[in-house]
Amino acid sequence: IELGSIAEPRRLTNSALADDLALSANGKWAILGNELGRVEVWNLEEGRLVDQVQGLSPQQALGAIQYLNYSPMGNLGPKRGGGKVSLTPDGKTLIAGFAPGYIKTYALSEEGQLSEAQSMYSLQPFIWLGALGKDLAATASVPNSLEVWRLSDGKMVMRLLLDNPLRGVKMIPSATPRLLTGDQGNNLRLWEIAIGAETQAIQINRNDLSEIGSLSIGGAGKILAVERTMVIQLCDLETFKPAGQVPSA
């Protein structure tokens, strides 16, 4: 990973394959989750490792690898023993997920030190994890559910079921937590977490057999790009209507 200006890049040499990356809002820390079930905190200004924690024991990491190798849903969740990392908006709490469904929270100090706070377990392997606020986080689990967790006590406070298997999840920038999901049926759904309900839905190209691959948000949070087999479908997030498409590379 290289960060900084083009003239003076900063290289972080990770000892294992990184599965996910989170950057602190103040630009000081890079948090890496790697394939060995380890979370690392890097100082971006100095390019050095500040702290690391082993999220999974060697036995758990081995079990995760075996599960993902033999489970029919293993190819949809986090690979190997690693997973996802996300920081709360205030930068004080790290949420880390490890295959197949372990979730842990850590307090992140001003010096970049991690201390474990809560431990949770998702019912199924998850494909996405994100902080929704200071005390809420969400996971998207295979095949078709969204879970909302309270970070202060590690309790699941909400579980939403979709009609079709999930293919992508994105958090929508807004004053209240909102999630956008794409599923195998080519449905895009907008979820208001505060009320625990779907508020808008659209099916894109229902006669097209190509499935949703991933979701990206651009245009100052107003345009959604839906990657599909041969095209990238655009959607206006203000009107929740199709806004054209472009060929994929």
Side-chain angles (χ1 to χ4, degrees), residues 6 33 38 49 61 65 67 69 77 79 117 142 146 165 168 205 232 248:
I6 295 177
R38 187 167 63 241
L49 179 65
I65 293 171
Y67 175 88
N69 283 341
K79 302 301 183 286
V142 295
L146 295 173
N205 291 2
I232 296 176
S248 61

Side-chain angles (χ1 to χ4, degrees), residues 105-163:
T105 64
Y106 300 88
L108 177 63
S109 73
E110 295 183 358
E111 294 76 30
Q113 301 297 308
L114 293 172
S115 55
E116 186 173 336
Q118 295 289 344
S119 183
M120 301 162 272
Y121 188 77
S122 177
L123 298 177
Q124 298 287 352
F126 49 84
I127 60 172
W128 178 87
L129 176 150
L132 298 179
K134 185 178 180 180
D135 193 40
L136 286 180
T139 53
S141 300
V142 295
N144 63 337
S145 67
L146 295 173
E147 299 86 25
V148 178
W149 306 82
R150 188 168 54 231
L151 302 181
S152 56
D153 59 10
K155 301 294 185 182
M156 183 191 296
V157 296
M158 188 184 304
R159 188 165 187 250
L160 306 171
L161 294 178
L162 284 72
D163 296 330

Side-chain angles (χ1 to χ4, degrees), residues 30-138:
I31 316 294
L32 298 179
N34 71 30
E35 64 173 346
L36 301 178
R38 187 167 63 241
V39 175
E40 302 176 348
V41 181
W42 290 80
N43 184 309
L44 294 179
E45 296 177 354
E46 302 173 4
R48 65 180 178 88
L49 179 65
V50 177
D51 194 18
Q52 59 182 331
V53 294
Q54 191 69 41
L56 292 183
S57 68
Q59 292 80 10
Q60 289 173 325
L62 177 61
I65 293 171
Q66 292 174 337
Y67 175 88
L68 294 172
N69 283 341
Y70 295 104
S71 168
M73 295 187 296
N75 65 322
L76 297 177
K79 302 301 183 286
R80 301 169 296 277
K84 303 296 182 182
V85 289
S86 180
L87 283 167
T88 55
D90 61 8
K92 295 181 179 181
T93 303
L94 171 72
I95 305 107
F98 310 94
Y102 299 99
I103 305 165
K104 295 185 178 182
T105 64
Y106 300 88
L108 177 63
S109 73
E110 295 183 358
E111 294 76 30
Q113 301 297 308
L114 293 172
S115 55
E116 186 173 336
Q118 295 289 344
S119 183
M120 301 162 272
Y121 188 77
S122 177
L123 298 177
Q124 298 287 352
F126 49 84
I127 60 172
W128 178 87
L129 176 150
L132 298 179
K134 185 178 180 180
D135 193 40
L136 286 180

